[in-house]
Amino acid sequence: MRTCLLLALATGLLGLALRHALPVIPADAAFRAVVRYYGADRPAGESGNMRETSAPY
């Protein structure tokens, strides 16, 4: 159990170190297009979060 705890702590610390050491890459145009396509651009009261499985409007 101690080994698992130490491994989890080391993994968390490594993740924090990488997060602070590496810069955040800005979103490119293709990613923004995907977010815009799947984004919240449907009318108010419309349910569903994916165009493929929602009723057409």
Side-chain angles (χ1 to χ4, degrees):
M1 183 163 150
R2 185 181 299 165
T3 304
C4 184
L5 180 62
L6 290 175
L7 184 60
L9 184 61
T11 303
L13 289 174
L14 178 64
L16 284 174
L18 285 174
R19 175 66 180 94
H20 288 288
L22 299 175
V24 176
I25 299 172
D28 61 351
F31 179 75
R32 283 194 299 271
V34 169
V35 170
R36 194 175 315 113
Y37 181 78
Y38 286 105
D41 60 349
R42 53 182 70 250
E46 184 79 23
S47 64
N49 62 351
M50 296 191 65
R51 292 177 191 236
E52 292 87 358
T53 58
S54 300
Y57 57 94

